[in-house]
Amino acid sequence: MSCNCKGPKSDLTLLNNIFEEISCVPENLITVLQKAQEIYGYLPEDVIYHVADVLGAKPAEVMGVATFYSQFRLSPIGKYLIMSCQGTACHVNGSKRVSEAVADYLGIKHGETTADGLFTLENVACLGCCSLAPVIMINGEAYGNLTPESAVEVLKTIKEKENGEK
Ligand code: FES
């Protein structure tokens, strides 16, 4: 079934290597989606249709899997991916308040991207630097011992840098 998606067209040839490496059967759906997300950064609608087509599955089934697992994203991520740790050490040190302050400041909910495409906020499990709890990681860089205020300051600094570069 072809896709009548309204979104931007993806370069579907980028998927060819995946289909050469992995046998095209519905049982491999999750692996294929993981690799597709590595390529595109998320799972565009036309990619979902194409994967369904090649694996012999229904697009609704593929979409069902893509929406069920939190590891999959259905929209592009921002320039800065904020991973807000909600692991145990961070939780007992106030990660919920930090995360809420970040969400409020950006005007988005978890899993969403700001309208300017700058920030995506995701709640994640332990980031592996519990001694710094509570921690957020932005594009791989860890910021620890945060308060709601200091987390917002980090974002303000990034925004200022971005505005200065324009
Ligand atoms: S619990 Fe947050 S880094 Fe481990």
Side-chain angles (χ1 to χ4, degrees):
M1 187 185 294
S2 65
C3 172
N4 296 320
C5 322
K6 295 188 185 80
K9 295 270 176 274
S10 309
D11 179 359
L12 299 176
T13 61
L14 298 176
L15 294 167
N16 291 349
N17 283 348
I18 298 177
F19 296 132
E20 278 167 23
E21 275 174 27
I22 301 170
S23 30
C24 299
V25 290
E27 290 72 26
N28 288 334
L29 176 57
I30 289 178
T31 309
V32 169
L33 291 180
Q34 285 169 334
K35 291 194 174 285
Q37 183 163 279
E38 278 171 24
I39 293 172
Y40 301 99
Y42 73 109
L43 296 173
E45 200 178 351
D46 56 354
V47 167
I48 285 180
Y49 270 77
H50 188 62
V51 166
D53 207 19
V54 174
L55 296 193
K58 292 196 173 110
E61 288 166 356
V62 178
M63 186 59 93
V65 169
T67 51
F68 180 78
Y69 292 101
S70 60
Q71 64 176 301
F72 295 123
R73 289 184 213 100
L74 297 175
S75 51
I77 56 169
K79 182 173 179 185
Y80 295 92
L81 175 61
I82 305 165
M83 295 194 287
S84 178
C85 181
Q86 302 303 314
T88 305
C90 287
H91 181 73
V92 299
N93 282 289
S95 64
K96 191 162 181 273
R97 288 193 312 120
V98 168
S99 190
E100 283 170 357
V102 168
D104 284 350
Y105 174 69
L106 296 175
I108 56 174
K109 297 192 192 96
H110 303 287
E112 291 182 348
T113 300
T114 53
D116 60 6
L118 216 47
F119 297 100
T120 297
L121 176 59
E122 286 187 351
N123 281 337
V124 296
C126 179
L127 288 166
C129 37
C130 310
S131 62
L132 300 176
V135 181
I136 62 174
M137 195 171 268
I138 303 178
N139 288 359
E141 187 173 346
Y143 298 84
N145 301 313
L146 291 169
T147 62
E149 294 76 22
S150 64
V152 168
E153 280 308 312
V154 170
L155 300 180
K156 281 184 179 166
T157 305
I158 292 173
K159 268 196 171 183
E160 280 165 19
K161 189 181 118 205
E162 284 293 323
N163 290 334
E165 284 174 1
K166 281 180 186 163

